[in-house]
């Protein structure tokens, strides 16, 4: 029954291909040769697009505002990953609900956990995340550059004939990331030293803190799955009041409920805390916007944090700097 259904389709497809081959064999070869990539997070997908250019098609599973710690693969994700030439996931237990699925998929498809290749001594551990590393490595552009190298290697291994083109694109992208790290360093150094404290909804900014000399306090633990207890909130309120911390930050992929409790608690003790802005932690901004790219996401975070904590820098950030040609 299946064979009867399939064979007319095959014949028709063969005829179509035959006809098209006469017209444009070159474009057909190129279309068939395009590397189909599925990536879990937007940050990985963005790097794959920049490195692959028009030699790849990239689909990101997790869009703007999606929390990777709790994400489970959908039916259509499974279909896309099974058909893809290359599946890129982050690893380091970021996609906690999908680990088992990737282990299974690795037997059938080319699957690469791009952050797992980072040297272990460059990774942060976390007291409430026993025996595992902090997965949020994209928060430090310099650490993320190591992941971009790994993504470049994965693309080249899948299509060795395009390795030179990938290397060239990667080199351009890596220079932009170096410029991003330099901008971040410059902007954040302008924050007064006693204000270099970053209070956020969950512990996503450990690598940011290490890179730029900020103390980082997350209300929730390293994963959004752990709920902040009332004790934890009241401890943090006392800390904010005692240290006169004036701004805290919400995240686009995490509920701001705990942050509001913190602000109310501090208010009750007569200390006013503002929301310094909304940061992209585990997901980028909307597709097609500057914040929907990795560089735009980090520029936004750096500029928002630096400005809210007292640095005298242009609100337009690195994007503004680039636009002025300086
Ligand atoms: Zn996170």
């Amino acid at each position: 029954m299946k064979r009867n259904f399939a064979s007319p389709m095959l014949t028709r497809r063969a005829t179509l291909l035959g006809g098209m081959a006469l017209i444009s064999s070159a474009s057909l070869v190129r279309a068939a040769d395009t590397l189909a990539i599925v990536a879990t997070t937007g940050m990985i997908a963005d790097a794959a697009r920049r490195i692959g250019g028009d030699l790849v098609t990239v689909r990101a599973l997790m869009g703007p505002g999606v929390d990777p710690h709790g994400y489970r693969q959908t039916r259509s994700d499974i279909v896309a990953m099974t058909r893809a030439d290359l599946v890129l996931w982050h690893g380091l237990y970021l996609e906690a609900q999908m680990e088992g699925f990737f282990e299974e998929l690795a037997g059938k498809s080319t699957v690469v956990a791009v952050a797992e290749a980072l040297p272990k001594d460059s990774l942060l551990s976390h007291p409430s995340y026993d025996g595992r590393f902090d997965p949020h490595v994209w928060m430090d552009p310099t650490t993320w550059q190591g992941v971009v190298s790994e993504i470049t290697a994965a693309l080249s291994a899948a299509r060795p004939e395009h390795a030179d083109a990938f290397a060239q694109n990667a080199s351009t992208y890596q220079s932009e990331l170096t410029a991003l790290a330099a901008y971040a360093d410059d902007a954040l150094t302008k924050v007064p030293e006693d204000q270099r404290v970053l209070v956020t909804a969950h512990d996503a900014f450990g690598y940011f803190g290490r890179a730029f000399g900020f103390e980082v306090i997350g209300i929730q633990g390293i994963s959004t799955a752990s709920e902040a207890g009332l004790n934890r909130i009241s401890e943090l309120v006392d800390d904010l009041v005692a240290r006169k911390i004036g701004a805290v930050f919400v995240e686009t992929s995490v509920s701001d409920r705990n942050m509001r409790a913190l602000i109310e608690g501090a208010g009750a003790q007569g200390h006013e805390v503002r929301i310094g802005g909304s940061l992209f932690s585990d997901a980028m901004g909307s597709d097609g916007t500057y914040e929907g790219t990795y560089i735009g996401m980090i520029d936004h975070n750096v500029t928002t944090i630096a400005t809210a904590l007292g640095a005298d820098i242009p609100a337009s950030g690195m994007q503004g700097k680039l636009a002025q040609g300086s």
Side-chain angles (χ1 to χ4, degrees):
M1 193 62 194
K2 246 184 180 171
R3 195 177 298 166
N4 285 345
F5 175 76
S7 63
M9 292 289 288
L10 271 176
T11 312
R12 205 181 139 197
R13 192 176 136 86
T15 312
L16 248 174
L17 286 175
M20 282 175 78
L22 284 174
I23 304 162
S24 162
S25 61
S27 68
L28 252 185
V29 169
R30 203 163 137 196
D33 196 36
T34 302
L35 181 68
I37 300 171
V38 172
T40 53
T41 69
M43 293 74 84
I44 298 171
D46 188 39
R49 284 190 189 106
R50 290 295 311 271
I51 297 158
D54 57 7
L55 298 167
V56 302
T57 58
V58 183
R59 173 183 166 146
L61 298 186
M62 302 172 193
V66 173
D67 171 8
H69 302 285
Y71 189 85
R72 280 177 195 279
Q73 65 277 11
T74 64
R75 252 169 214 282
S76 71
D77 291 348
I78 295 171
V79 171
M81 285 190 275
T82 313
R83 288 182 183 164
D85 298 311
L86 177 63
V87 176
L88 302 174
W89 62 299
H90 185 275
L92 301 178
Y93 210 58
L94 177 70
E95 303 98 331
Q97 309 300 318
M98 296 175 76
E99 292 240 313
F101 172 79
F102 284 121
E103 273 162 30
E104 223 176 279
L105 188 68
K108 303 166 207 149
S109 307
T110 309
V111 174
V112 183
V114 291
E116 294 278 354
L118 289 172
K120 296 297 175 260
D121 62 2
S122 72
L123 298 177
L124 293 173
S125 57
H126 191 276
S128 70
Y129 210 55
D130 198 26
R132 296 189 194 279
F133 295 106
D134 178 347
H136 303 90
V137 293
W138 59 90
M139 287 302 179
D140 168 18
T142 306
T143 303
W144 186 243
Q145 284 184 298
V147 176
V148 170
S149 298
E150 188 63 15
I151 297 171
T152 310
L155 266 62
S156 300
R159 285 285 184 277
E161 65 274 31
H162 296 316
D164 287 349
F166 294 151
Q168 209 166 355
N169 293 340
S171 158
T172 305
Y173 190 45
Q174 292 279 16
S175 320
E176 290 175 27
L177 296 178
T178 302
L180 175 68
Y183 165 73
D185 205 37
D186 182 54
L188 294 163
T189 305
K190 295 190 170 120
V191 173
E193 257 174 69
D194 64 350
Q195 290 298 305
R196 291 180 196 170
V197 182
L198 183 66
V199 182
T200 62
H202 88 296
D203 273 354
F205 291 84
Y207 292 94
F208 175 96
R210 182 181 69 178
F212 305 112
F214 273 60
E215 183 185 343
V216 175
I217 302 171
I219 300 183
Q220 272 175 332
I222 206 109
S223 154
T224 52
S226 56
E227 276 295 310
L230 283 177
N231 281 346
R232 171 93 175 127
I233 304 246
S234 79
E235 260 173 43
L236 280 173
V237 166
D238 293 344
D239 207 21
L240 285 184
V241 174
R243 299 168 66 177
K244 299 188 173 65
I245 296 167
V248 295
F249 299 86
V250 294
E251 296 170 37
T252 58
S253 55
V254 184
S255 157
D256 65 359
R257 192 165 40 99
N258 288 329
M259 209 46 85
R260 304 215 165 270
L262 203 62
I263 290 170
E264 269 175 40
Q269 293 191 36
H271 174 60
E272 197 198 324
V273 178
R274 294 172 293 111
I275 290 192
S278 178
L279 305 179
F280 298 105
S281 54
D282 290 358
M284 307 192 305
S286 306
D287 292 339
T289 66
Y290 177 56
E291 289 79 11
T293 66
Y294 171 74
I295 289 176
M297 164 198 199
I298 300 297
D299 181 5
H300 168 91
N301 285 353
V302 165
T303 306
T304 302
I305 292 165
T307 307
L309 296 177
D312 185 17
I313 57 162
S316 52
M318 187 173 85
Q319 189 183 31
K321 252 178 112 172
L322 290 175
Q324 286 162 22
S326 63

